[in-house]
Amino acid sequence: MPFFTQSATFSGLWPITRRHIVEVIQNGKYSHGRKVLELERALAAYTGAAHVVGVNSGTDALVLLLRACGLRPGDEVVVPAFSFIASASSVVLAGGEPVFADIEPDGYGLDPASVAAVAGPRARFVMPVHLFHHLADLTGLAEVARGLDLTVVEDSAEAIGMRHNGAHAGLLGAGGVLSFFPTKTLGALGDAGAVITNDPVIAETVGALRHHGRFGRTIDNFPGISTGTGAVGVNSKMDDVQAAVLLAKLDRLEADIRRRAVLARRYADGLAGVPGVRKLPSVLPRRASVRGVFYVYVVEVDRRDELAAHLAGRGIGTETYYPTPLHLQPCFARLGHRPGDFPHAEAASRRTLALPLYPDLPLGDVDRVCAAIRSFYLGERA
């Protein structure tokens, strides 16, 4: 049983996918073309964002968003110590400096109290990351941000479909991002991403930066290559084939989200009360109406690495999110952090394990995973 596959999804969607790809071929522009523009408009309709700007990865989306928001060399950005490396490396790539804060004691979101404790006079941004299945405490973080005059930029790469008081993740601050890496809730066949924002200036700037700093209309515009360069940008255009795949999958996104919720409930039932399973994922109470989406199903367990090996021995794939917290990554050794600096992040890094979760997964396979976990902790035969 693989940790992730979408072969059945693509098989079922092939007629629609093929139609979109044929349109790409017929249009004759295979990057930054008409199909990307069509996807941007469809995502704007789904998320409610005033502007969606397609780029070639979720990481690039973070870098370009930070630059478009006015990050200056040396500006500090407060980020959680528990996240994927891109949440912090994007800050460096944009010219800033990450400042780490701890996560909530009972969840994986950036802890507002920790943000207030670590933010110094050079801090200009705070970047909540919406991890796994629910949003960070946007209400609490917004209050801290206002008090410290910080701009909120959301790493909402995993959060498509998640909402806070009806507003889509990524639209509660200056802007957010979406990642369409193949394992994501809405995944492409390769790398792709987007910036979402309600700010027209940010959108225009990201749109220019993704295409070598050329302002004005460049998407699906063949003469655009001769457009003057107004800023030092990068080549982060989205491929039209990826846009074609995403358009084919977007129509079934809500059905996939519902399926993921069904699978999560099956896991919760199958793992309830198992000794050694410390925590099952749940949506924490907030001071707002929130909608979570199960991107991955992450449990906290004792003897995590031994359990992963036990499952692998039974043909069950898992992933460890994330075995080393960001403040202890070798690339950030210069910041001088030591074990114990952010205890909640470090505890999560020791215990979290992601189990298979994707729309193609049969319920019987969930039962098989649960039985294998029970056999590890209880000695039952799986």
Side-chain angles (χ1 to χ4, degrees), residues 57-320:
S57 72
T59 302
D60 269 12
L62 282 171
V63 174
L64 300 185
L65 175 60
L66 285 166
R67 288 186 59 188
C69 287
L71 183 142
R72 302 165 304 197
D75 282 346
E76 293 180 345
V77 182
V78 182
V79 299
F82 183 72
S83 183
F84 182 57
I85 188 65
S87 299
S89 64
S90 62
V91 174
V92 178
L93 292 170
E97 188 78 354
V99 173
F100 296 111
D102 212 347
I103 58 174
E104 300 168 286
D106 297 321
Y108 305 108
L110 192 55
D111 182 9
S114 185
V115 172
V118 303
R122 293 169 56 201
R124 289 191 62 226
F125 297 86
V126 58
M127 183 191 288
V129 182
H130 308 310
L131 278 185
F132 306 150
H133 61 280
H134 72 90
L135 299 169
D137 180 6
L138 290 168
T139 304
L141 290 167
E143 292 173 353
V144 171
R146 283 193 296 272
L148 297 174
D149 195 24
L150 303 177
T151 298
V152 177
V153 174
E154 296 173 68
D155 182 348
S156 46
E158 298 182 359
I160 193 163
M162 298 187 193
R163 295 184 182 270
H164 177 278
N165 275 344
H168 195 279
L171 299 176
L172 282 301
V177 304
L178 298 173
S179 171
F180 305 118
F181 184 73
T183 62
K184 293 295 191 290
T185 308
L186 179 63
L189 274 175
D191 286 312
V195 170
I196 63 174
T197 182
N198 289 326
D199 188 315
V201 176
I202 291 175
E204 181 185 27
T205 305
V206 172
L209 291 175
R210 70 174 168 179
H211 193 21
H212 301 287
R214 295 185 174 102
F215 284 83
R217 183 185 170 212
T218 57
I219 196 165
D220 197 37
N221 184 24
F222 285 90
I225 196 169
S226 62
T227 304
T229 302
V232 177
V234 297
N235 180 9
S236 186
K237 303 184 297 296
M238 182 187 287
D239 290 340
D240 278 54
V241 169
Q242 300 302 344
V245 169
L246 292 168
L247 280 165
K249 296 181 72 178
L250 185 57
D251 284 343
R252 61 172 286 174
L253 175 59
E254 284 298 312
D256 284 351
I257 288 172
R258 291 192 295 271
R259 175 64 179 175
R260 288 170 176 271
V262 169
L263 294 168
R265 285 194 295 271
R266 190 75 160 219
Y267 270 125
D269 291 342
L271 295 176
V274 176
V277 179
R278 286 174 170 250
K279 184 188 295 183
L280 299 175
S282 62
V283 177
L284 298 179
R286 301 295 192 201
R287 287 178 285 169
S289 171
V290 294
R291 184 207 192 192
V293 171
F294 278 94
Y295 158 52
V296 288
Y297 193 84
V298 173
V299 296
E300 290 194 27
V301 295
D302 294 330
R303 299 159 56 202
R304 188 262 315 280
D305 295 341
E306 293 176 55
L307 174 61
H310 172 83
L311 295 175
R314 284 151 180 76
I316 298 169
T318 61
E319 287 288 347
T320 303

Side-chain angles (χ1 to χ4, degrees), residues 12-27:
L13 285 175
W14 174 241
I16 302 171
T17 306
R18 181 180 183 277
R19 173 174 61 79
H20 283 294
I21 292 175
V22 167
E23 289 174 1
V24 172
I25 296 169
Q26 290 174 339
N27 185 44

